[in-house]
Amino acid sequence: MKPTQPPSKILRAYGDRHGDGMVQLSFVLELPPSPRAREAAKRFAEAHGLREPLVAAMEECAEGYSFFVVYGHSEHSVDAATIDVPEVRVEPLGREEIEHRIKARLGRKLVVVGACTGSDAHTVGIDAILNYKGIAGDKGLESYKGFDAHNLGAQVQNAELAERARALRADAILVSQIITQRNCHKENARALVELIESQGWRGEVILLLGGPRIDHELALELGFDAGFGPGTKPAEVASYLIDRLAPGAVVKHA
Amino acid sequence: MATVPMDEEKVARCRELAAAVADDVQSYIDTHTSVGVERTTLRAYGAFGVDDQGIPLVNAAVDRYHAAGLLPRGIAHFLGRAVLSGADTIQDAAERLAYGHDLDRGEGGPTPAEARAALAPHTQAALDRIDRGRDDREAFKRSVGPGPTPLKYVIVATGNIYDDALQAKAAAFAGADVVAVIRATAQSLLDYVPYGPTTEGYGGTFATQENFRIIRTATREAAEEQKRYIHQTNYSSGLCMSEIAWMAAVEGLDMLLNDAMYGILFRDINMCRNFVDQYISRRIIARAGIVINTGEDNYLTTADAVEKAHTVLASQFINEAFALRAGVKEEQMGLGHAYEIDPWREDSFLTELAQAQLVRQIFSRHPIKWMPPTKHKTGDIFQSHVHDAMFNLVGVTTNQSIELLGMFSEAIHNPMLMDRYLSLKATRYVYTACKHLGDEIEFKADGIVARRARQVLDEALAQLEEVADAGIWDSIGKGAFADVKRTRTGGKGFSGVAERAPDYLNPLLDALEGR
């Protein structure tokens, strides 16, 4: 074992007593409520590694279907020490610092183009990051003097997004994917990367992916530079872009 | 019932201003048509089916005449001439328009008046078909009887119409009164209506005539089993809003999401196209007795629900004015609003209560559509369930007419069978436990609720003054609604709009307009 490796940290779910493994599970089985259905739910929970499952609720939620709530002791555990999750590691910068860095180090506006792509018509995420009003008190990229932000809106096709980004000489493209049924978001996001690669300008642009089912690891896997999940603030995206395009130590202002 | 102060003169002034806004647009609508309007006309006359590429006959016919610059005269003009030139049926006539060797340029031959006369029996048949859809639906509704208000409205959205049918029946079993099949998100920008039953869709299921039939059969069966009428809803929105309105009318749907401005604001559909299309969609809806659900609730997902609450009210007045101009009755206007204020804000509940009560009072005859929290929902399903309970409490206290139930999994996925079941159960609890709460309480004369209601009406009035002054075209250009800005010639579908010629012919529209 290397000396730098952290000691293992075995975790079990914690409910009442340390290490009791208590979890709750709810699901539907295609059976009307009956003693047999209750037993089926119990065995179903056991098959998931729950010891001593307690079927706390069994209700007919549709004709011939039962809804169950089951509590039980999970036998499973995880070793948190062995886990390495790629994260976007950027020091969050203040608005003043962001504006200053763009002005001082870049000497021009940072051009960002964003869209909800494919069939997705849900612009909540892209609007939160790009539009002036932002989200939860953190104003969007449009509100910065140093950003030239273009929000193309909903249902933008990859080809159209790439064309607009190219024409605007975008530094970065932000793609938002909300609808995730049967993984359509992955295919569509990957297709954009492939399109830009085939056009030969992948090296000239930073590609960011955002959405409720997106994390940094998935974004990297799909060929993006970074991924941002739910709850991301505009300042975090701005800080990431500054880190990539105008890096350097934070200069303290008087 | 507990009421909030409502200045009748201000309400009347709001209606006057909204009327001026709608009249300005109506003069544009009355002199224009669109590929959507003309396709709807062909469908209503009886043209149906698709070619081997999936292109609907009505698209093939209308696109051909539009490309030739002949749409200003109305597709009915050419349909009538095809009938006079020997077509056996409307279908045969429409096929001649779409695929016939020679394009009829309308030169010489029968006049518009002769074409109108040739179509007369078919115009009557088209009206009869819409009326039959309404009569059948209303007779069945009377025979089983609807549940009490607020009607409990849930969505199904599996992407597969057969799963949707199963989930619709499950929802009815669990207590739903209204079932909406959410539409695949891609459909609003398709300039044609897909055909037949569909089993693949993202974010929802395609609206097709066959899919409407499949769900209608399921909801009728469910109504008979549950001894309670189950309403069926779909979306008359997007580039095919008027065609879908007709499909819904003849298949006996009860409600349609239908808004005078939603497509412009949230789907970037061109303003001209949207205003023209919403009009004919509402003419059909009026005839079919369908209840519309307007989309003002969406404003609060992009704009702040406290600061921009008045834009919802202002837009409701405008939607009402547009609907009246299309012959839609107040009893058919399910004006939309929503519980979207940040739940952690102090007195957010009272602020919601104030607006819900104000809307209820101003639109007293309208089947108001009350929408659940979505914007501030997170993956914490347990908190979300409590949030929805507070929403339900406002809904029952202020007697909203149609309530779309919140789902605790709102921020996670399309509702699953168990999500819907738990939502319906919790709603039934709140509705039952608080059934007469609204009758028992009074709001303080100058309390938080009363002051908020007064403020929202004042701000809505001020906004309507501005919109009436600038006109709706420029107001939308400045981001008056939902903080979204659109231009008159921008957006999707503008190329499908045409100015009507002086001899424009559309006997069906004339009949729907009562002429």
Side-chain angles (χ1 to χ4, degrees):
Chain A
M1 187 192 272
K2 286 184 216 157
T4 52
Q5 196 167 339
S8 78
K9 188 164 172 54
I10 307 289
L11 299 173
R12 298 190 68 197
Y14 181 15
D16 181 38
R17 302 279 295 272
H18 196 266
D20 60 12
M22 276 308 271
V23 298
Q24 65 210 39
L25 189 65
S26 63
F27 52 89
V28 173
L29 294 179
E30 194 176 343
L31 278 175
S34 68
R36 194 160 73 99
R38 183 180 294 274
E39 184 59 25
K42 213 171 139 186
R43 293 200 191 175
F44 183 76
E46 280 169 348
H48 283 79
L50 298 192
R51 264 189 311 111
E52 298 170 35
L54 170 74
V55 179
M58 171 174 67
E59 298 180 14
E60 188 166 30
C61 62
E63 203 169 352
Y65 292 81
S66 297
F67 168 69
F68 299 95
V69 177
V70 178
Y71 277 84
H73 301 276
S74 166
E75 293 175 346
H76 301 303
S77 62
V78 287
D79 183 355
T82 62
I83 298 169
D84 183 27
V85 179
E87 286 176 73
V88 182
R89 288 199 187 84
V90 178
E91 190 185 351
L93 304 173
R95 167 173 295 264
E96 207 173 291
E97 179 65 22
I98 292 170
E99 299 282 31
H100 170 74
R101 287 255 206 121
I102 296 176
K103 205 171 159 192
R105 311 240 168 109
L106 217 56
R108 62 173 175 82
K109 285 196 177 202
L110 212 153
V111 182
V112 177
V113 178
C116 242
T117 60
S119 65
D120 206 334
H122 300 75
T123 60
V124 186
I126 198 74
D127 290 347
I129 302 300
L130 290 184
N131 290 3
Y132 190 92
K133 104 185 129 64
I135 188 152
D138 193 26
K139 293 215 176 343
L141 301 189
E142 239 181 40
S143 72
Y144 290 82
K145 287 191 200 77
F147 277 98
D148 183 15
H150 300 263
N151 184 352
L152 305 189
Q155 298 189 336
V156 178
Q157 295 309 307
N158 283 333
E160 187 191 342
L161 174 59
E163 194 187 312
R164 285 291 299 278
R166 196 89 167 113
L168 290 161
R169 308 182 67 85
D171 295 292
I173 298 177
L174 274 59
V175 172
S176 172
Q177 296 276 270
I178 304 256
I179 291 289
T180 56
Q181 239 169 3
R182 292 182 292 284
N183 284 330
C184 63
H185 61 306
K186 291 191 194 173
E187 287 150 35
N188 196 42
R190 200 195 305 271
L192 175 69
V193 177
E194 284 165 6
L195 175 69
I196 292 173
E197 274 169 358
S198 73
Q199 294 175 350
W201 52 288
R202 176 67 185 88
E204 299 161 37
V205 68
I206 296 176
L207 295 180
L208 306 185
L209 186 61
R213 292 286 182 87
I214 306 295
D215 57 35
H216 188 48
E217 190 172 10
L218 175 65
L220 294 180
E221 183 194 316
L222 297 173
F224 282 71
D225 292 287
F228 295 89
T232 302
K233 303 269 174 63
E236 293 170 45
V237 176
S239 299
Y240 173 84
L241 291 173
I242 299 298
D243 189 62
R244 288 285 305 269
L245 294 165
V250 174
V251 179
K252 297 281 177 226
H253 301 281
Chain B
M1 176 161 206
T3 57
V4 289
M6 183 182 82
D7 186 329
E8 299 280 359
E9 276 176 31
K10 285 180 185 166
V11 171
R13 178 68 186 147
C14 285
R15 286 209 160 91
E16 244 173 60
L17 292 163
V21 167
D23 281 338
D24 169 41
V25 178
Q26 196 62 42
S27 63
Y28 178 88
I29 295 168
D30 290 339
T31 52
H32 290 77
T33 185
S34 77
V35 287
V37 169
E38 300 303 321
R39 292 195 305 252
T40 305
T41 307
L42 269 190
R43 273 185 197 271
Y45 273 112
F48 65 93
V50 290
D51 68 11
D52 56 356
Q53 303 296 308
I55 298 169
L57 170 61
V58 296
N59 282 66
V62 169
D63 286 352
R64 191 176 182 202
Y65 279 78
H66 187 38
L70 296 167
L71 219 52
R73 303 189 68 180
I75 200 72
H77 176 76
F78 302 98
L79 189 71
R81 286 166 64 99
V83 168
L84 286 170
S85 72
D88 293 333
T89 59
I90 286 292
Q91 183 71 1
D92 180 17
E95 285 179 15
R96 289 186 190 200
L97 300 189
Y99 315 118
H101 188 267
D102 296 313
L103 182 85
D104 174 12
R105 298 203 155 271
E107 289 152 4
T111 63
E114 286 162 336
R116 177 189 293 276
L119 285 176
H122 304 289
T123 305
Q124 192 53 49
L127 293 169
D128 290 346
R129 197 170 169 195
I130 295 170
D131 294 344
R132 206 161 51 241
R134 177 179 187 152
D135 294 344
D136 287 353
R137 182 185 71 239
E138 289 180 347
F140 182 67
K141 186 171 176 175
R142 273 193 303 276
S143 74
V144 285
T149 58
L151 292 174
K152 296 188 274 297
Y153 178 128
V154 296
I155 61 172
V156 299
T158 69
N160 181 324
I161 196 65
Y162 301 106
D163 278 315
D164 287 342
L166 191 146
Q167 300 242 357
K169 291 190 76 174
F173 176 90
D177 298 298
V178 187
V179 173
V181 176
I182 288 275
R183 209 168 56 168
T185 61
Q187 193 172 355
S188 50
L189 298 183
L190 293 183
D191 217 341
Y192 67 94
V193 182
Y195 184 78
T198 68
T199 55
E200 249 333 289
Y202 294 110
T205 310
F206 287 100
T208 72
Q209 200 169 341
E210 185 57 28
N211 285 352
F212 285 2
R213 262 181 227 135
I214 290 168
I215 299 297
R216 185 77 280 183
T217 303
T219 51
R220 280 209 175 202
E221 283 170 12
E224 277 163 357
E225 287 161 15
Q226 308 304 328
K227 312 267 184 283
R228 185 180 77 253
Y229 187 70
I230 309 297
H231 303 74
Q232 182 182 346
T233 307
N234 211 284
Y235 294 70
S236 165
S237 61
L239 289 169
C240 296
M241 72 189 295
S242 57
E243 286 174 275
I244 293 173
W246 176 80
M247 285 161 35
V250 298
E251 298 305 334
L253 270 67
D254 302 275
M255 297 183 193
L256 284 171
L257 281 276
N258 178 282
D259 191 288
M261 301 190 288
Y262 174 89
I264 302 169
L265 300 172
F266 296 98
R267 292 293 179 269
D268 194 16
I269 288 173
N270 171 263
M271 285 191 217
C272 303
R273 173 72 181 268
N274 185 89
F275 283 133
V276 169
D277 286 0
Q278 64 86 30
Y279 174 68
I280 187 149
S281 75
R282 287 177 167 189
R283 275 287 168 202
I284 292 165
I285 283 166
R287 179 92 182 196
I290 290 171
V291 168
I292 59 171
N293 294 175
T294 64
E296 282 87 355
D297 48 287
N298 292 282
Y299 297 178
L300 305 180
T301 61
T302 55
D304 183 83
V306 176
E307 286 167 28
K308 297 296 172 74
H310 64 281
T311 64
V312 168
L313 182 56
S315 174
Q316 287 170 329
F317 280 116
I318 294 172
N319 247 318
E320 179 190 49
F322 275 113
L324 285 171
R325 274 149 193 75
V328 178
K329 295 194 165 60
E330 282 86 350
E331 288 76 8
Q332 292 175 267
M333 296 181 200
L335 301 173
H337 62 152
Y339 191 95
E340 288 283 19
I341 297 173
D342 180 353
W344 301 101
R345 190 185 164 107
E346 190 169 270
D347 290 322
S348 64
F349 179 81
L350 295 182
T351 314
E352 298 282 14
L353 194 59
Q355 180 129 1
Q357 182 57 37
L358 179 67
V359 168
R360 178 69 285 167
Q361 282 172 233
I362 292 176
F363 304 103
S364 57
R365 292 158 62 196
H366 310 55
I368 295 297
K369 166 95 178 282
W370 180 226
M371 299 289 285
T374 59
K375 186 183 180 178
H376 296 282
K377 284 289 187 76
T378 69
D380 177 358
I381 56 172
F382 306 99
Q383 168 64 26
S384 174
H385 209 38
V386 177
H387 195 171
D388 287 335
M390 298 297 273
F391 155 75
N392 285 332
L393 185 55
V394 172
V396 71
T397 307
T398 59
N399 193 23
Q400 303 296 312
S401 315
I402 304 161
E403 181 180 293
L404 195 148
L405 303 197
M407 291 290 144
F408 60 71
S409 56
E410 168 67 38
I412 308 167
H413 49 228
N414 283 336
M416 294 184 181
L417 201 144
M418 53 193 167
D419 306 354
R420 230 178 272 116
Y421 166 72
L422 290 169
S423 174
L424 281 157
K425 182 178 165 186
T427 304
R428 190 169 70 242
Y429 159 60
V430 176
Y431 282 9
T432 309
C434 303
K435 190 164 177 68
H436 298 104
L437 181 63
D439 300 331
E440 289 292 315
I441 58 172
E442 282 176 12
F443 298 120
K444 276 167 70 176
D446 201 35
I448 296 172
V449 173
R451 274 183 279 133
R452 175 65 183 170
R454 215 174 275 132
Q455 180 196 356
V456 171
L457 178 56
D458 286 350
E459 288 175 4
L461 176 56
Q463 187 186 21
L464 283 167
E465 296 275 9
E466 277 173 36
V467 172
D469 190 44
I472 196 79
W473 313 92
D474 288 346
S475 297
I476 293 175
K478 283 185 288 197
F481 301 101
D483 288 349
V484 175
K485 297 171 189 171
R486 303 293 185 206
T487 60
R488 188 160 179 157
T489 53
K492 300 175 172 80
F494 183 53
S495 63
V497 180
E499 190 173 0
R500 294 186 199 172
D503 64 353
Y504 174 76
L505 184 69
N506 193 335
L508 180 67
L509 181 57
D510 292 343
L512 291 172
E513 287 175 335
R515 282 192 276 126

